[in-house]
Amino acid sequence: MRTAEHTASGVPEKTAGADLRLVADRPAAATPPSLHDRLTELDQLKESARQGPDPAATERQHARGKLTAHERVELLLDEGSFTEVEALRRHRATGFGLERRRPHSDGVVTGWGTVHGRTVFVYAHDFRIFGGALGEAHAEKIHKLMDMAEAAGAPLVSLNDGAGARIQEGVSALAGYGGIFQRNTRASGVIPQISVMLGPCAGGAAYAPALTDFVFMVRETSQMFITGPDVVQAVTGEEITHNGLGGADVHAATSGVAHFAYDDERTCLEDVRFLLSLLPANNRELAPVAPSEDPADRRTDALLDLVPHDPSRAYDMRAVVEEIVDDGEMFEVHPDWATNIVCALARLDGNVVGIVANQPAAFAGVLDIKASEKAARFVQLCDAFNIPLVTLVDVPGFLPGVDQEHGGIIRHGAKLLYAYCNATVPRVQLILRKAYGGAYIVMDSRSIGADLSLAWPTNEIAVMGAEGAAGVVFRREIAAADDPDAVRQQRIKEYKSELMHPYYAAERGLVDDVIDPRDTRSALIRSLAMLRRKHADLPSRKHGNPPL
């Protein structure tokens, strides 16, 4: 049946008369291109987009020790798995010569592929095109990909190598960043988000990586800062290089912005692949299980020698973790920042766990501002993505000092406390040696919701160390004694005997079991197996108000 929308010839009439006359007046077309010709043209367009508009730009990229966007994507993803979207996208901006420069892709490669057979979405800035600067079309490509990743429930990896907002496009470029930030926030705790810094990232652009779960950086070639060295010098008079201000080592060891730093891109991307193998695709799934040949009941005899009985002697907690976990393999997060606490992903009997542990080899393992922030962020990450938590405790307390108090140790320490209290994943605490004062409570004690608390027979749980306690409780008696040192030593011995013996907390139900250190691995595996189906509900609320 015909309608008013059809002409007598049966062709839909969708345009006004002027447009029809234009079509009618058009001269007879030459022989239309064949499908073969069209396919040849398509292949040429896509290859041109891949190669970039200027071969010299590729040479310059390689001369800097940097790979191209497509080369990076191929290293990240399983071979042959990448599906690119909007490869032929071009900007529509005019002015300042932009109308004469409209390269395909608009400076960002977007698409999806697999890592170890699991779907991963990725976008990569192409520094060869507009220096990787973000314009309106560039941003829309990223927005679309981020929406796709969230809808598909798959991780998102950004390979960053861009010069910030495209100045020629003005506020449209800034709005593009706003769209990215909003999507980063919406996807937070829903899908894993990983930022890989492979070039410069300055100004507001630096906030996108800061909103993601992990930040990787490459030394010498990647930098992040809000204001560059020239602005810093103009405002403060300080002279500093790009790497000195915002290089990989600065952010990995001083600011804590970067979780990992590497010497080259290939090693960096290999570790991104490994990290993805430890994470679930989204917050509705569990992390993938990897069958292990490491026996679940393996005795950890080496622990008897690794951990000194004297609580004042240092040791490397990393060695303890490696002895306990499958095949001695752990992936430490923030290894160079706040080194007095260790945060790592590892496997126990093939199942991924998050490990938080005091590090006696650095500042005696005390908790301070940085350590509290580092551990709190890690605990939140594990809880968001259904990764059980194992907390290894050997802590003398919080770091005393004017700088710590004025820096807000109360507020920052509360971040870790809040993160643990709010976590609903399986949580097992293991006390190796000392656990004093508020730091004992904060390190996932039973009183704040740990499902199980285990301890070695070397544990010392108390308000403070015996020496300090005796000095407070028996201060007047010691001061009045004929032999103060002898009385002090006697009272210290009594305090330890009465309140700090290894079974004191167990007698009061605050420790579930005192175990042989050699059974640590099997005890943790059995405990986590029992807790695997744990379900806990939080109160109905829009969200909590943690100390930020």
Side-chain angles (χ1 to χ4, degrees), residues 8-24:
S9 64
V11 178
E13 184 177 14
K14 296 183 179 179
T15 55
D19 292 326
L20 289 176
R21 286 194 298 274
L22 191 62
V23 172

Side-chain angles (χ1 to χ4, degrees), residues 371-391:
S372 298
E373 287 192 341
K374 171 180 169 178
R377 175 76 169 169
F378 184 73
V379 169
Q380 288 182 154
L381 170 94
C382 291
D383 187 51
F385 293 112
N386 309 311
I387 298 173
L389 286 161
V390 174
T391 304

